[in-house]
Amino acid sequence: MALHDEALRSPPSFQSPVMKKVAERLAVIHMSNEERNTYFAYLKEAVHSQDVLLAASEKGEKSLEKGRAEGLAEGLEKGREERGREKKDSTWPNDFCKADKQSHLSRR
């Protein structure tokens, strides 16, 4: 078991969160200098790791938002281009009517 876990273990009779904090602080006070230095190094590393994780998460969220915006813009642009090509190449109403008539005639 890690040093900090042993030092901060509070007796099961403590039900109050305040008393648990008091027990933790007393445990730190009663540590030797070496144990205390190790414990504070552990706390510092834990805070640093949490900061790194939070920063990476925020960066990922920003990148995701940027990627979605770029993808949407690109998709809209492609849609406009395709729609423009279809309008130029299509004789849609006439083609549709011919195809519809042919399908009705072939069913008979």
Side-chain angles (χ1 to χ4, degrees):
M1 185 174 278
L3 177 66
H4 62 275
D5 290 337
E6 291 175 15
L8 297 180
R9 184 175 298 173
S10 59
S13 63
F14 288 158
Q15 298 298 321
S16 167
V18 174
M19 289 305 293
K20 288 179 183 179
K21 280 285 190 189
V22 169
E24 289 174 10
R25 290 185 184 193
L26 283 173
V28 172
I29 290 172
H30 288 96
M31 289 180 186
S32 69
N33 285 339
E34 183 180 340
E35 290 173 327
R36 193 175 305 117
N37 289 338
T38 302
Y39 176 68
F40 286 137
Y42 161 78
L43 288 179
K44 184 177 179 180
E45 181 61 31
V47 169
H48 175 71
S49 296
Q50 186 67 26
D51 287 346
V52 169
L53 182 62
L54 182 62
S57 176
E58 288 174 357
K59 182 178 179 183
E61 288 175 10
K62 288 178 184 177
S63 295
L64 181 62
E65 290 172 10
K66 180 181 176 186
R68 283 184 178 156
E70 290 174 358
L72 179 61
E74 185 178 321
L76 289 172
E77 182 61 32
K78 282 185 178 182
R80 286 185 195 113
E81 290 173 5
E82 289 177 10
R83 193 174 341 127
R85 272 189 248 129
E86 288 173 359
K87 285 183 180 180
K88 288 179 185 176
D89 298 338
S90 178
T91 54
W92 178 76
N94 295 332
D95 291 344
F96 180 73
C97 292
K98 287 177 187 176
D100 193 37
K101 285 180 184 177
Q102 288 175 355
S103 68
H104 284 297
L105 293 174
S106 65
R107 289 185 195 163
R108 292 182 183 184

